[in-house]
Amino acid sequence: MTPRPEPAALAAWQDALAAEQQAAWGYPLLGPHLPADRQDRARACQIVHEQARNDTADAIAAAGATPRAGRGDYPSLYGVAPLALAIRLEDDCAAGWRYLYAALADASGNVAAQRANAQRRLIDSALRAARWRLLSGAPHPVVAFPGTTAPK
């Protein structure tokens, strides 16, 4: 069993889970609105986020806490370009993982594995966001400090 995290770390962990739940829901929504050559990328991202959601919920439960249920206020494509939604989903995940990484820096106990996982997921989300930005033609696809926006 993983040691029970400090309250601030648990709150950040739950926020990371919420971002992953949102991404797991959002990618199937935007996929059909993408050109055929980008649908495989969206499906691959969906699979990654579904696995991250499941792994995160399992880790929270293993730490003796109850994973928070999905919020249900997931994004829609109403008035939003599909690529913009993909970027938002990845940026939100990066933010969730960045805040967990920071919260675990102040946590007591052995949290090195959890912190390394948060860092890896932050980097992965930032890379996916940069790829979506490249596809969208954004002039600056790389964000200097990924995950610095507050999770939604």
Side-chain angles (χ1 to χ4, degrees):
M1 183 167 163
T2 305
R4 187 169 178 92
E6 304 283 329
L10 180 57
W13 213 358
Q14 296 281 15
D15 286 344
L17 174 60
E20 291 297 342
Q21 290 166 333
Q22 176 177 286
W25 172 261
Y27 272 105
L29 179 69
L30 70 91
H33 298 280
L34 293 171
D37 62 334
R38 294 184 181 156
Q39 288 182 5
D40 286 344
R41 178 180 301 272
R43 179 67 180 130
C45 290
Q46 176 188 348
I47 291 167
V48 166
H49 288 292
E50 288 172 348
Q51 188 64 52
R53 174 200 60 204
N54 296 345
D55 291 348
T56 304
D58 290 347
I60 290 171
T66 302
R68 211 181 312 147
R71 292 187 216 162
D73 62 344
Y74 298 125
S76 75
L77 278 176
Y78 183 73
V80 177
L83 290 178
L85 178 58
I87 294 164
R88 178 179 151 206
L89 294 172
E90 295 300 344
D91 283 345
D92 287 353
C93 285
W97 292 113
R98 185 230 174 261
Y99 281 101
L100 176 58
Y101 181 83
L104 291 173
D106 297 330
S108 61
N110 184 7
V111 296
Q114 294 169 10
R115 197 157 193 249
N117 181 57
Q119 181 181 31
R120 181 179 51 82
R121 292 194 190 275
L122 162 61
I123 292 167
D124 291 348
S125 288
L127 288 172
R128 284 189 299 272
R131 288 183 189 113
W132 285 118
R133 282 187 184 91
L134 278 171
L135 290 172
S136 73
H140 303 288
V142 177
V143 174
F145 299 102
T148 55
T149 59
K152 295 176 175 79

